Amino acid sequence: MRRRNWGLWAAMAAGYALLYVPIVSMVVYSFSASRMATVWAGFSTRWYVALFSNEQILQALARSLTIAAVAASAATVLGTACGLALSRFGRFPGRGLLSLMNSAPMVMPDVMLGLSSLLLFVTLQQALGWPERGMGTIMIAHITLTTCYVTVVVRSRMSALDDSLEEAAMDLGARPWRVFWLITLPLIAPALLAGWLLAFTLSLDDLVIASFTSGPGASTLPMLIYSKVKLGVTPEINALATLIVSVVALGVVAAGLLMHRREQAGAEP
């Protein structure tokens, strides 16, 4: 038994080390005074100062956050509508096609999505003079990508709900829209939040599709980082990644504490 326990502990330690040692090393080197990203030359915060003085990186970050927020919000609305239709409206004409089209982006390579989106935008621009490639085209492509993920999350949540509450509300005279706003929406709110966060993360992290659909002056943060990595990682990128990891870690801790408090409040008599 002890040998098994030691083996499990060793495997777990190796797994966590493989995941988190590179992140920790990146955080450590972000405070190095050296111009080399992997050389320690004494403690310094110069690269954080340089980061906040780099307009190119700050503009790319703001652009990526804007695209991700808009794409996630639109994908949440569309994904919720699709999830409700597939889980509540029974068999209607086109149901199979709608389900297939929602599943296709999840299994299709990003290169194919990016290339097909580029060809679509080029064809529309030649025929109608719209759209100009830039932030708008990246948003449209990201909405197409992330809507299917929100649909899956909402549909799974709807399938686990007891529809007797909605039926009881309609039996009491509530109209369908009122039932949705007062009964269905509060019940699926956690799924909507999870879908929005998933869509936001996928959009913020995307490189391939954005590279195909972006235009001049519309580089996102992943595109900018990738272009800099090809010339060698700079300490500024380490500082930026450290800040992003810190924000995400604080968000996870805050969410964990909130869930723990809710569980405790629900367990109290």
Side-chain angles (χ1 to χ4, degrees), residues 33-110:
S34 173
R35 291 182 175 273
M36 303 297 293
T38 57
V39 176
W40 180 259
F43 181 85
S44 175
T45 58
R46 60 178 295 193
W47 300 116
Y48 289 89
V49 176
L51 172 64
F52 287 105
S53 301
N54 193 322
E55 290 294 331
Q56 186 183 23
I57 294 180
L58 295 180
Q59 289 177 2
L61 176 60
R63 192 177 297 117
S64 293
L65 292 175
T66 302
I67 292 173
V70 174
S73 300
T76 300
V77 175
L78 296 175
T80 301
C82 290
L84 289 173
L86 293 173
S87 60
R88 285 290 187 266
F89 291 173
R91 294 190 174 276
F92 55 87
R95 185 181 188 278
L97 179 62
L98 178 61
S99 179
L100 177 63
M101 296 302 293
N102 271 286
S103 301
M106 291 189 295
V107 298
M108 189 177 298
D110 288 348

